[in-house]
Amino acid sequence: MKNLRKTSRATGLVPGFTLLELMMVVGIIGLIAAMGVPSILSTMRQEPMRRAVNDVTRICFNARAQAIQQNKTVVVDFHPVVRKIEIEGGGTGTMPAGPGQTASNAIEFDPSIVVKMLSINLMDFDQADIAYVRFFPNGTCDEMILALQSADQSRKITLDPITSLTSVGAIR
């Protein structure tokens, strides 16, 4: 039988890594992984809020685009108690979504997200079953402020009545 392992002719040793070298590499990899865990956990906690803000912004953008394209008023229904938002009637002529996004005319927030405030045209609707925001064909809309809160963060989404564009900020 032939020996399947090649040895060095000069020393007669089989080339490879020692157990000590392998343990050092595993230890270094473990140390680097342990340093990254806090940032990974932080990102995972922030994801539901980030998704909620992006979804609200996208729904408002789609409603504005539909109102302008179809030359008719488009209504967005807010259901603050059940944490749901939808374009009334499902909407037609939805604008295509951006990369990695789906075109959607209805969203439901993650259970960890709470609607702390919903103000439309200076009236509070945070405990209402349903509230409406209208987007008009001339590119304007009703004034809206939506405050969302999760366990460790909160965001305020403001809808500008002149441009129908959203802006996002932290609540202080």
Side-chain angles (χ1 to χ4, degrees):
M1 265 184 143
K2 290 185 178 181
N3 187 357
L4 297 176
R5 300 178 87 182
K6 294 186 178 184
T7 59
S8 170
R9 289 186 181 178
T11 62
L13 297 175
V14 177
F17 296 106
T18 66
L19 182 60
L20 182 60
E21 290 170 332
L22 290 174
M23 294 296 286
M24 290 297 289
V25 169
V26 168
I28 291 169
I29 291 172
L31 183 63
I32 291 171
M35 290 184 336
V37 167
S39 64
I40 292 170
L41 291 176
S42 173
T43 301
M44 289 175 68
R45 276 194 316 268
Q46 293 174 356
E47 183 58 28
M49 180 62 76
R50 185 177 303 125
R51 188 175 34 240
V53 168
N54 288 340
D55 287 345
V56 170
T57 302
R58 189 169 50 250
I59 285 276
C60 292
F61 176 81
N62 285 347
R64 177 182 186 268
Q66 286 179 28
I68 293 169
Q69 285 179 343
Q70 298 171 5
N71 197 29
K72 69 176 190 173
T73 301
V74 174
V75 178
V76 176
D77 300 341
F78 283 81
H79 305 273
V81 176
V82 294
R83 301 178 324 274
K84 184 177 177 183
I85 303 172
E86 60 189 342
I87 295 178
E88 198 169 276
T92 57
T94 304
M95 293 295 293
Q101 299 174 340
T102 58
S104 172
N105 286 326
I107 59 164
E108 193 167 335
F109 296 137
D110 187 86
S112 65
I113 302 294
V114 176
V115 176
K116 292 305 274 185
M117 181 183 82
L118 175 59
S119 173
I120 300 171
N121 294 332
L122 303 176
M123 295 175 57
D124 291 330
F125 290 95
D126 47 299
Q127 296 302 316
D129 290 332
I130 191 166
Y132 305 100
V133 174
R134 297 167 299 172
F135 289 82
F136 303 106
N138 63 358
T140 62
C141 68
D142 292 330
E143 180 182 25
M144 182 202 70
I145 299 173
L146 175 66
L148 302 175
Q149 185 173 14
S150 67
D152 60 342
Q153 41 182 297
S154 56
R155 294 287 182 270
K156 178 175 73 171
I157 303 168
T158 306
L159 188 58
D160 183 357
I162 308 279
T163 63
S164 298
L165 299 176
T166 57
S167 62
V168 180
I171 297 175
R172 295 179 185 137

